[in-house]
Amino acid sequence: MGMYPSPGAMPPGGMPPPPPPMFGPPMMFPPPGFFKPQRSFARVIFTTLATAVFGLSVTLNLYLLLYAGLGGLGGGQGITQETVVAGSSDERVAVIPVSGIILKRTAERFDELLTSVEKDKNVKAVVLDVDTLGGAVAPSDEIHARILRFKKEHPGKPVVVTMGSFATSGGYYISCAGDYVFAQPQTLTGNIGVILPRFNFSKLAQSYGVEEVTVTAPEHGFKNAGSPFAPIKQEENQYLQGLIDDAYGKFKLVVSTGRQGRLTKKIDDIANGKVYTASEAMALGLVDELGYANDAYAKAASLAGLSNKEVVRYAKPVGILEALAGGADGKSNVGGGATGGVTVNGVNVKIDAGLLDELSRPRLMYLWRGQ
């Protein structure tokens, strides 16, 4: 008798027979497609760049569409006032913060804040709290011009600047409108110059049969100058350089006028695009004194002849769209710091509209890109 029961027979104890072994299809090695040719590295890079540019463009346009169509969500609340230093209510020093990338909305918000300050008869002096890497040329110039208009219409009210971590490029452009400028000992400032960010993918596109076929009128003019997919032309570079040089000349004029009699070197030697430490800026005459915000408050009170100053910080709360742009904490553009975002399920999400805008199309910038 064998040790194992015959097929179909019941095993001892009446237990059912074990199921037959299960076998899957035979494994193939190597698996199918293992040696399939991969896309070239250049193709991957090109596809990634094209996708990124398209994605940035779509995101920015959606953002701008929402911003324009739902402006009521963009921060329609009134101006807030926070007492920083208690004192006599009729001897008020108003603090207006300017921070984040300087864009059109920054200039608009600044105008709203300064207009509110102008309506407050108790305000006797203004302190600009500047902490920005700079931004677009036109908004920086708008803020500078608005400060000059305030000084002209209110000659007895001094404007003092206190610089935070950064007051570079457009941030310094704005600061030149102040009567007296403080820099913290660790402030970085200067960076007097203009940049036109450009990226050119024409050689990469040509290798994959992508050709720039944009139609313009005039046919051989400069309407499409600076296109990232068209070969670089010397005459277009000269044309764009002329635009930059004009903005650069305005920057130098602003510095020479605002710091008249205080610069220790010629403007062309100072306006070389370099970022200066606070001590270097002090030696060049770009700032008047090293100190902190409290020192600026005291100086403003002294220039205005106040004996018991009250320091009040003016701000305007941001709405949901501006929060997505980087200021959910009330620190976007004018009114706070350079960081922010919205917390979603414990994750901080930040869409920097200024960066998206900068990457999606060329524009003249008073901006330091070192950070």
Side-chain angles (χ1 to χ4, degrees):
M1 180 180 294
M3 297 179 61
Y4 299 97
S6 61
M10 293 291 289
M15 296 295 292
M22 302 294 293
F23 296 99
M27 287 191 63
M28 297 181 64
F29 186 82
F34 184 81
F35 293 112
K36 181 180 179 180
Q38 303 295 315
R39 292 185 300 173
S40 69
F41 179 73
R43 181 182 293 275
V44 171
I45 293 297
F46 178 74
T47 303
T48 302
L49 287 174
T51 303
V53 172
F54 177 76
L56 287 172
S57 177
V58 171
T59 302
L60 178 63
N61 280 283
L62 177 60
Y63 175 87
L64 294 178
L65 178 62
L66 287 171
Y67 198 91
L70 302 175
L73 298 178
Q77 303 179 57
I79 305 298
T80 63
Q81 299 179 17
E82 177 189 0
T83 300
V84 179
V85 178
S88 177
S89 61
D90 60 350
E91 294 189 358
R92 181 168 296 176
V93 175
V95 180
I96 301 179
V98 183
S99 60
I101 295 179
I102 300 172
L103 300 171
K104 180 176 177 58
R105 182 56 183 153
T106 320
E108 293 173 348
R109 186 180 291 274
F110 182 85
D111 178 64
E112 293 174 24
L113 292 175
L114 192 52
T115 298
S116 179
V117 167
E118 288 177 316
K119 294 178 180 178
D120 189 343
K121 303 302 181 183
N122 291 325
V123 173
K124 303 300 190 296
V126 173
V127 171
L128 303 179
D129 187 354
V130 179
D131 193 350
T132 172
L133 299 172
V137 166
S140 300
D141 188 60
E142 285 183 43
I143 295 175
H144 179 268
R146 183 65 178 89
I147 300 169
L148 294 183
R149 179 158 66 90
F150 172 84
K151 291 170 61 176
K152 181 178 180 180
E153 296 175 354
H154 307 277
K157 298 181 180 182
V159 176
V160 176
V161 175
T162 176
M163 295 178 172
S165 298
F166 303 98
T168 53
S169 206
Y172 186 70
Y173 190 103
I174 292 170
S175 301
C176 287
D179 297 306
Y180 201 86
V181 179
F182 280 88
Q184 294 182 9
Q186 298 302 319
T187 295
L188 294 179
T189 187
N191 192 229
I192 302 168
V194 190
I195 186 172
L196 176 63
R198 291 182 62 194
F199 305 91
N200 192 276
F201 310 121
S202 60
K203 293 182 179 179
L204 185 60
Q206 288 172 5
S207 65
Y208 290 98
V210 179
E211 183 181 1
E212 171 74 80
V213 292
T214 301
V215 179
T216 66
E219 183 177 356
H220 300 293
F222 294 89
K223 186 66 176 178
N224 197 39
S227 169
F229 296 104
I232 297 174
K233 299 179 181 178
Q234 185 60 32
E235 60 268 27
E236 291 185 358
N237 280 344
Q238 293 175 352
Y239 159 68
L240 295 174
Q241 187 65 51
L243 299 179
I244 295 175
D245 290 343
D246 184 74
Y248 175 58
K250 178 62 182 297
F251 202 157
K252 291 193 295 182
L253 179 61
V254 162
V255 177
S256 298
T257 303
R259 306 299 298 172
Q260 187 172 11
R262 287 175 277 191
L263 298 179
T264 59
K265 290 186 177 181
K266 294 181 179 179
I267 185 60
D268 287 329
D269 295 330
I270 298 174
N272 53 17
K274 285 186 177 180
V275 169
Y276 297 114
T277 64
S279 57
E280 289 173 334
M282 180 78 177
L284 293 171
L286 295 175
V287 302
D288 296 297
E289 191 173 339
L290 301 187
Y292 298 92
N294 285 333
D295 300 308
Y297 303 156
K299 185 65 177 181
S302 175
L303 292 176
L306 308 182
S307 58
N308 186 27
K309 68 179 183 300
E310 177 189 57
V311 180
V312 177
R313 188 179 185 88
Y314 287 67
K316 184 174 182 180
V318 298
I320 184 172
L321 294 181
E322 289 171 292
L324 290 173
D329 56 356
K331 297 182 178 181
S332 173
N333 295 331
V334 174
T339 61
V342 176
T343 300
V344 180
N345 294 330
V347 178
N348 187 263
V349 179
K350 178 179 177 181
I351 301 175
D352 192 331
L355 180 59
L356 290 177
D357 198 15
E358 180 192 351
L359 291 175
S360 65
R361 61 188 176 95
R363 59 163 46 183
L364 297 179
M365 305 288 286
Y366 291 145
L367 176 69
W368 183 42
R369 304 179 74 186
Q371 287 289 318

